[in-house]
Every structure is written in structure tokens, then in C-alpha cells.
């Protein structure tokens, strides 16, 4: 189907919905979404409702096709969302870092607890404990959201899928950092995109500039030799029988920027389950343990030091096991600072 034909159909559909009052993603009261479409139809500016004063309409693509959860959905914003729900602490931190506390109506507080001090966090009225898997659709709708930020799995059939969101006038936002191939560049792209959607582009640009400066300082400190011969890292997330570990994606890129490399960088996934035999065989120089809440890494570190299978691994012999914040490792406002922290762990003599 040609784009012009589709645009005309969408424009006609939108006009009918406005006249009849039928519910749709574009007809909910106060919604910032002009229209949504599948990968075969682009939501052009012609189909968008008039933008609010001084606001430039923003169109994004939510790639549900990537994870096998549906189509690529295009959404056009004609005003900044004002009733945002964030489903993870590290994603909430990005919004708070952009100064958007007044736009957030609810946050899920799951197992990954933020270590960042945003006093504005206390101003959010609804905080769901236990994470998004404990939030029913009814609870979600009770805060009348117009925007949800979460991982791809959050938009699966069992949770807040495309049809549910569109029927209730809720825009979906799946960060670019939520892929197996993500890098810091994707985190910057999220800041840029959210900056446009919420009309805070200047703030986003400042945050990106600061992150880039931090990473550039790390590069200058550790030098090219560190990147040519990186320190080998085993990341331990969980599971004592068969460890779950970070391979590529945001964690892998953070390791590389810090002058290290995952011993499982050859696995074409962001995360994977491996065996202790593989860990021993690859003999990491450093082990980084994911900390979900401050202090909860101690038990994992004690386990690693007491694991007889790892007794001769370099990281254990040289007592080079450290804790890292999981939220920042997955991508958040503190990811660039985490690069600097890990670099200092890998190259203590240079810091």
C-alpha cells in the first residue's frame, strides 16, 4: 500500500473517530498521541492533531517486531506526555535526570534499586513495589497514563501489549538501550529522543555532553594500550548452579569503554547462562558482581571466593572481585560514571 493512500485512510479514520467519539489511541481525552500505525503504514504529519504552542510534533517507532511481539508501531506526539509511568528504577532515573518529575504519575520499584539521589522522586504520588510483573492492567489504568517506558517484554501479550495501549490512549516507549547490540550511543539516542518528546532538548544535550566528557576523560587516562589489550571480565549476575552473565549490549559496551572485555563477548546476546567450567577455562582477570540493592552483592562475592571450582582463577587469586550497580550497567543516568568506576577497578594505578 502506498504511503499517500495510507495517510489518507488514517486521516479519514481519525476524522471519523473525532466526530463519533469512538475510543482510540488518538481520541482519548488529553492524549499526546496523534495516531499509531503498523510497519506497513507511516504516521505522517498530515494525520497528526495540531501541536500545542511552540511544540514540534515528534514521531517515533516502537520496534515490537524486533522481539517477535508484533509490528513496528509509529507514534506521533503533538504535545509532551503528562502522565508517565516508568516500569524500572534505572529508566525512571533517566526521566528524573531530564527534569521530568512533574510528568511522572507512577513508578514501579522492582528489584533493581536506584543509587541516585533525586529528591524529586519523592514527589511522585504512586510507587508500586515489586516491579512491573506485580502491576495489573487495572492498577495501571487507575493512574490514567498517557505514556509507558519499559523493556520490550513489558509490551508482550501478557502485560501491556499494543492493542491494550492503543485502546487506552497510552504511548509505548521501548528505549534504544534495550537491545542485545546496544551501546552508549543508544543511551545518548534515548536522551535525545526523550528530550524531543518532552520538549527538553537543551537539558538532554547537556546530559549527553557531560556523559561524553566523562568517557573521554577515561580514555585519556587509561590510554590506547588498554583498549588494545583489555582486561578480561566475568560478570556474575545470579544463579549458583549455572551463572547468568552479561555478554554484549549495554554491559558489554560499558566494559569495553572502561578498558575491559567480557570473557563471553563471543556470545551473540546481551545476557546468557553459562557454566562454571567455561568461566574457569576463560580465566577472567576481574569479576564484576551485579548489585541490585546497595550491599546485596556481599553474599555473591562471598560465594565466589568460597567456590572451590574458582580457586585458581586469576580474579579470585588476586582478590579482584568488585560490585557494580545493575541499573547503571543496563543503561541509565549513571552509566558514564560507571565506566569511570570500572576503569578505576581495572587500572587502579592510573587513578
Amino acid at each position: 500500500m502506498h504511503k499517500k493512500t495510507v495517510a489518507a485512510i488514517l486521516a479519514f479514520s481519525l476524522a471519523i473517530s473525532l466526530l463519533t467519539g469512538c475510543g482510540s489511541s488518538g481520541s482519548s481525552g488529553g492524549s499526546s498521541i496523534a495516531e499509531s500505525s503498523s510497519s506497513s503504514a507511516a504516521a505522517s504529519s498530515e494525520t497528526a492533531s495540531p501541536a500545542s504552542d511552540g511544540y514540534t510534533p515528534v514521531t517515533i517507532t516502537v520496534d515490537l517486531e524486533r522481539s517477535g511481539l508484533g509490528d513496528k508501531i509509529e507514534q506521533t506526539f503533538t504535545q509532551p506526555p503528562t502522565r508517565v509511568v516508568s516500569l524500572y528504577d534505572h529508566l525512571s532515573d533517566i526521566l528524573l535526570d531530564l527534569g521530568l518529575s512533574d510528568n511522572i504519575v507512577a513508578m514501579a520499584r522492582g528489584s533493581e534499586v536506584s543509587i541516585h539521589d533525586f529528591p524529586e522522586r519523592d514527589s511522585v504520588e504512586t510507587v508500586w513495589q515489586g516491579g512491573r510483573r506485580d502491576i495489573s492492567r487495572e492498577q495501571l489504568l487507575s493512574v490514567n497514563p498517557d505514556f509507558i517506558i519499559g523493556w520490550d517484554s513489558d509490551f508482550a501479550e501478557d502485560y501491556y501489549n499494543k492493542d491494550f495501549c492503543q485502546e487506552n490512549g497510552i504511548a509505548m516507549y521501548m528505549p534504544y538501550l534495550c537491545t542485545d547490540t546496544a551501546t552508549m550511543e543508544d543511551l545518548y539516542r534515548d536522551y535525545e529522543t526523550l528530550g524531543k518528546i518532552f520538549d527538553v532538548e537543551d537539558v538532554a544535550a547537556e546530559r549527553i555532553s557531560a556523559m561524553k566528557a566523562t568517557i573521554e576523560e577515561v580514555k585519556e587516562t587509561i590510554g590506547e594500550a588498554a583498549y588494545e589489550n583489555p582486561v578480561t571480565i566475568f560478570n556474575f549476575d545470579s544463579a549458583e548452579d549455572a551463572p547468568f552473565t552479561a555478554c554484549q549490549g549495554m554491559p558489554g559496551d560499558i566494559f569495553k569503554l572502561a578498558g575491559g572485555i567480557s570473557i563471553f563477548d563471543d556470545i551473540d546476546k546481551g545476557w546468557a547462562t553459562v557454566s562454571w567450567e567455561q568461566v574457569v577455562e576463560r580465566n577472567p582477570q576481574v569479576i564484576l558482581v551485579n548489585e541490585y540493592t546497595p550491599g546485596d552483592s556481599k553474599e555473591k562475592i562471598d560465594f565466589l571466593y568460597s567456590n572451590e571450582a574458582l580457586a585458581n582463577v586469576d580474579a579470585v587469586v588476586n582478590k579482584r572481585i568488585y560490585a557494580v550497580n545493575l541499573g547503571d550497567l543496563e543503561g541509565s543516568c549513571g552509566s558514564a560514571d560507571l565506566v569511570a568506576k570500572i576503569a578505576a577497578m581495572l587500572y587502579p594505578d592510573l587513578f
Side-chain angles (χ1 to χ4, degrees), residues 67-285:
S67 300
L69 299 177
D71 302 321
K72 290 183 179 179
I73 308 302
E74 288 198 348
Q75 300 173 137
T76 296
F77 297 87
T78 57
Q79 61 187 33
T82 59
R83 303 192 62 79
V84 176
V85 171
S86 174
L87 299 176
Y88 299 88
D89 256 19
H90 68 108
L91 300 183
S92 298
D93 283 346
I94 294 175
L95 299 178
L96 293 171
D97 195 34
L98 288 170
L100 300 175
S101 60
D102 289 342
N103 300 69
I104 305 172
V105 293
M107 297 186 300
R109 300 301 303 274
S111 55
E112 303 167 20
V113 176
S114 171
I115 60 172
H116 301 289
D117 183 20
F118 287 109
E120 301 87 351
R121 196 188 305 274
D122 297 333
S123 68
V124 178
E125 295 181 5
T126 304
V127 176
W128 288 304
Q129 301 294 339
R132 56 92 173 164
R133 288 179 174 83
D134 300 313
I135 305 169
S136 68
R137 289 184 174 185
E138 291 73 21
Q139 285 177 299
L140 183 68
L141 292 178
S142 71
V143 297
N144 190 30
D146 61 2
F147 184 98
I148 298 177
I149 181 171
W151 289 78
D152 50 2
S153 56
D154 299 312
F155 303 113
E157 190 65 31
D158 293 340
Y159 296 104
Y160 322 117
N161 62 39
K162 174 189 71 174
D163 292 340
F164 168 78
C165 288
Q166 290 183 338
E167 288 168 4
N168 290 285
I170 305 170
M172 300 173 285
Y173 189 83
M174 183 173 62
Y176 296 105
L177 62 84
C178 300
T179 73
D180 287 342
T181 58
T183 68
M184 283 294 294
E185 293 298 323
D186 290 291
L187 178 61
Y188 303 152
R189 188 179 179 188
D190 279 315
Y191 267 81
E192 290 174 350
T193 305
L194 291 167
K196 291 177 182 178
I197 291 173
F198 289 94
D199 202 18
V200 289
E201 291 182 75
D202 290 346
V203 178
E206 290 175 5
R207 300 296 187 266
I208 293 169
S209 178
M211 287 187 279
K212 288 183 176 180
T214 296
I215 291 175
E216 189 60 34
E217 186 176 351
V218 169
K219 290 180 178 180
E220 293 176 359
T221 301
I222 64 179
E224 287 300 323
Y227 297 105
E228 294 170 0
N229 186 30
V231 174
T232 56
I233 297 170
F234 167 57
N235 171 257
F236 180 51
D237 181 83
S238 57
E240 294 184 1
D241 293 336
F244 189 62
T245 185
C247 307
Q248 297 190 31
M250 278 297 299
D253 193 54
I254 286 173
F255 298 156
K256 290 172 184 175
L257 290 171
I261 189 169
S262 168
I263 58 173
F264 294 106
D265 185 65
D266 59 324
I267 296 178
D268 192 23
K269 294 181 180 180
W271 300 84
T273 297
V274 296
S275 69
W276 290 114
E277 289 77 13
Q278 288 175 297
V279 176
V280 172
E281 180 183 353
R282 301 187 183 204
N283 192 23
Q285 295 169 280

